[in-house]
């Protein structure tokens, strides 16, 4: 089906009645932008690291991640106020949360405002809010603060999804889909917001993954509005959430291991993560594709959470994807780093622009991977 009319303007497919659609998308970032070429000197200086071998390893990692720019909440002002954050062995969880809790909500607020502006309807029309973060800890949670600052009704239905890691955004989409489809007329605001403050620490040879995190992860927020049966003339859906699946791989719970301590969050990442994904990804994708009787991987568009270049390369090779099929994922990784649960939405935003071209694919897959090892997948249909 052609995607442009005779004047060259984009044409729109009709959404499936009762199926959840993405009605708007927004994003937000902290003000500190770090080009990757300046990361090493800054990190080594801020943590007062004297080990030349650690610096050389971080330089190599910064090149292999393919990241070019990232945003971060961490800045000189924070380190000046809390110098203990850069001191090995300091009990600093209280100080980290003093920074992270308000920063995460502020980014979520700005992303949500951008999303609501694109949506074009009043915030009071939002019936449900889903708040996703692995970067704050408090009661009540950020969902309440966000709903209050947005001026949502006090009977808005709130859901928090905490500490899911990199697959949290895709889980949020699956939950939003279920809510929207089971509550006709509802409009669900899904927001994700993350900062690396909880995991910032000086390098230590006993914790090699800390350097991977320093070279790869970034901060930011994203928001989407989900609903069924879009209102003609008032809403502009661009993607349909046709079918969603979550699956965990038994016996792999230690491959991605996160532990909250007095010093913040400590992560351990198994070297076999890319291989575990490679071994299981084809069957998982075919399960999603079967719902629309799809059989060819290269007939789809792909919105894959870019956990790192190794995972993208393995997926591309295993599924024999044509060059460029993962371009939106690689572009998001380059521009923002791995921003945890947010990143799938940065990929989807790039994909929205890509799919406006003539002859773009109708069907696609959104994929994300995280602790468990957990796979999240959504069969998408572009509108």
């Amino acid at each position: 089906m052609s995607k442009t009319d005779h004047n060259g303007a984009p044409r729109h497919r009709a959404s499936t009645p009762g199926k959840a659609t993405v009605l708007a998308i927004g994003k937000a970032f902290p003000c500190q932008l770090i080009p990757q070429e300046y990361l090493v000197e800054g990190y080594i200086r801020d943590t007062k690291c004297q080990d030349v071998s650690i610096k050389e390893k971080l330089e190599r990692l910064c090149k292999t991640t393919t990241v070019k720019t990232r945003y971060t909440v961490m800045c000189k002002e924070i380190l000046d106020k809390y110098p203990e954050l850069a001191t090995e062995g300091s009990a600093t969880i209280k100080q980290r949360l003093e920074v992270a809790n308000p920063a995460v909500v502020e980014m979520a607020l700005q992303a949500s405002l951008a999303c609501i502006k694109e949506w074009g309807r009043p915030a009071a029309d939002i019936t449900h809010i889903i708040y996703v973060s692995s970067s704050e800890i408090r009661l009540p949670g950020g969902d309440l603060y966000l709903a209050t600052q947005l001026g949502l009704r006090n009977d808005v239905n709130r859901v928090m999804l905490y500490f899911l890691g990199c697959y949290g955004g895709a889980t949020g989409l699956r939950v939003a889909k279920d809510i929207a489809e089971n509550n006709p007329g509802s409009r669900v605001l899904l927001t994700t917001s993350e900062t690396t403050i909880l995991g910032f620490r000086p390098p230590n040879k006993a914790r090699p993954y800390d350097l991977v995190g320093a070279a790869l992860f970034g901060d930011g927020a994203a928001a989407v509005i989900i609903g069924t049966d879009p209102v003609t003339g008032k809403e502009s859906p661009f993607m349909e959430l046709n079918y969603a699946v979550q699956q965990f791989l038994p016996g792999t719970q230690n491959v991605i291991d996160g532990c909250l301590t007095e010093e913040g969050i400590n992560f351990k990442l198994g070297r076999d993560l890319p291989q575990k994904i490679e071994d299981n990804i084809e069957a998982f994708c075919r399960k999603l594709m079967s719902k629309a009787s799809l059989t060819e991987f290269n007939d789809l568009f792909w919105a894959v959470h870019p956990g790192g270049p190794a995972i993208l390369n393995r997926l591309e090779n295993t599924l024999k994807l044509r060059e460029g099929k993962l371009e939106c994922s690689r572009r998001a990784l380059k521009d923002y780093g791995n921003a945890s649960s947010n990143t799938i939405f940065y990929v989807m935003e790039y994909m929205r622009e890509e799919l406006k071209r003539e002859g773009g694919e109708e069907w696609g897959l959104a994929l994300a991977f995280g602790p468990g090892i957990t796979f999240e997948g959504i069969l998408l249909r572009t509108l």
Side-chain angles (χ1 to χ4, degrees):
M1 174 181 173
S2 172
K3 296 195 68 187
T4 58
D5 62 21
H6 64 279
N7 293 319
R11 290 174 59 184
H12 298 281
R13 296 184 177 94
S15 60
T16 306
K19 284 287 185 184
T21 62
V22 184
L23 300 169
I25 191 166
K27 62 182 186 294
F29 301 96
C31 59
Q32 175 112 325
L33 174 64
I34 301 180
Q36 193 80 333
E37 60 265 29
Y38 298 126
L39 182 280
V40 176
E41 290 296 334
Y43 180 72
I44 296 298
R45 179 194 66 238
D46 293 341
T47 59
K48 300 179 176 62
C49 176
Q50 304 294 322
D51 193 323
V52 176
S53 66
I54 286 180
K55 180 180 179 181
E56 291 173 345
K57 182 175 182 180
L58 183 57
E59 287 173 338
R60 292 194 299 272
L61 285 169
C62 282
K63 292 177 181 176
T64 58
T65 61
T66 71
V67 177
K68 297 299 182 185
T69 53
R70 282 177 291 167
Y71 292 86
T72 176
V73 170
M74 180 60 80
C75 60
K76 183 178 183 300
E77 289 75 18
I78 291 174
L79 284 174
D80 286 345
K81 184 176 181 180
Y82 303 107
E84 59 271 29
L85 296 181
T87 303
E88 183 69 36
S90 298
T92 53
I93 188 63
K94 179 177 180 291
Q95 296 92 317
R96 293 172 190 274
L97 291 175
E98 285 177 1
V99 177
N101 287 344
V104 166
V105 169
E106 178 60 26
M107 290 189 293
L109 174 65
Q110 296 305 320
S112 298
L113 289 172
C115 184
I116 292 168
K117 181 179 180 180
E118 180 182 289
W119 180 40
R121 291 179 59 181
D125 289 351
I126 293 170
T127 58
H128 298 72
I129 186 169
I130 300 173
Y131 183 89
V132 180
S133 184
S134 299
S135 305
E136 71 155 52
I137 307 168
R138 58 176 162 177
L139 294 173
D143 61 321
L144 179 71
Y145 293 98
L146 178 61
T148 300
Q149 292 181 39
L150 286 172
L152 304 186
R153 301 196 314 263
N154 67 352
D155 62 349
V156 67
N157 292 277
R158 308 187 328 267
V159 176
M160 286 196 305
L161 299 175
Y162 265 14
F163 286 93
L164 300 183
C166 290
Y167 69 86
T171 300
L173 282 171
R174 176 170 53 80
V175 174
K177 169 181 167 62
D178 286 348
I179 291 173
E181 292 178 358
N182 285 284
N183 295 272
S186 62
R187 290 297 179 262
V188 185
L189 172 65
L190 163 62
T191 182
T192 60
S193 190
E194 308 285 5
T195 175
T196 51
I197 289 284
L198 294 189
F200 179 87
R201 57 180 45 82
N204 188 314
K205 287 183 176 179
R207 301 190 306 268
Y209 184 63
D210 285 357
L211 288 183
V212 178
L216 182 65
F217 287 102
D219 299 356
V224 290
I225 291 174
I226 307 296
T228 64
D229 305 312
V231 180
T232 303
K234 288 187 176 182
E235 295 177 315
S236 302
F238 64 89
M239 205 165 278
E240 183 177 284
L241 309 178
N242 193 271
Y243 179 67
V245 171
Q246 184 193 73
Q247 175 180 311
F248 70 93
L249 306 182
T252 65
Q253 64 270 19
N254 294 323
V255 176
I256 305 173
D257 183 53
C259 181
L260 186 64
T261 72
E262 293 87 349
E263 299 174 47
I265 292 181
N266 290 321
F267 280 109
K268 295 180 182 177
L269 184 66
R271 291 181 177 273
D272 54 344
L273 175 61
Q275 186 64 50
K276 295 288 187 184
I277 293 175
E278 179 181 340
D279 292 344
N280 293 276
I281 192 60
E282 181 172 351
F284 182 72
C285 290
R286 291 202 180 281
K287 181 188 297 185
L288 286 160
M289 295 163 62
S290 67
K291 295 297 178 178
S293 301
L294 302 165
T295 59
E296 296 297 325
F297 294 128
N298 280 299
D299 289 345
L300 308 177
F301 62 86
W302 293 81
V304 180
H305 168 76
I311 290 174
L312 295 179
N313 293 341
R314 292 285 187 104
L315 190 147
E316 189 174 64
N317 292 334
T318 300
L319 303 182
K320 298 180 174 58
L321 299 181
R322 289 196 298 269
E323 185 178 357
K325 281 289 182 179
L326 299 182
E327 179 58 29
C328 291
S329 296
R330 296 188 189 279
R331 186 177 164 196
L333 181 63
K334 176 174 71 74
D335 292 345
Y336 308 114
N338 180 344
S340 192
S341 64
N342 305 306
T343 324
I344 191 69
F345 300 107
Y346 305 157
V347 177
M348 287 174 66
E349 186 177 49
Y350 284 147
M351 184 61 65
R352 173 169 65 171
E353 298 307 312
E354 182 73 14
L355 289 169
K356 289 179 180 177
R357 73 189 190 281
E358 175 72 23
E361 301 89 343
E362 179 177 0
W363 294 93
L365 294 183
L367 302 173
F369 320 103
I373 297 172
T374 301
F375 285 19
E376 284 277 5
I378 303 174
L379 178 65
L380 303 172
R381 178 171 169 260
T382 181
L383 303 177

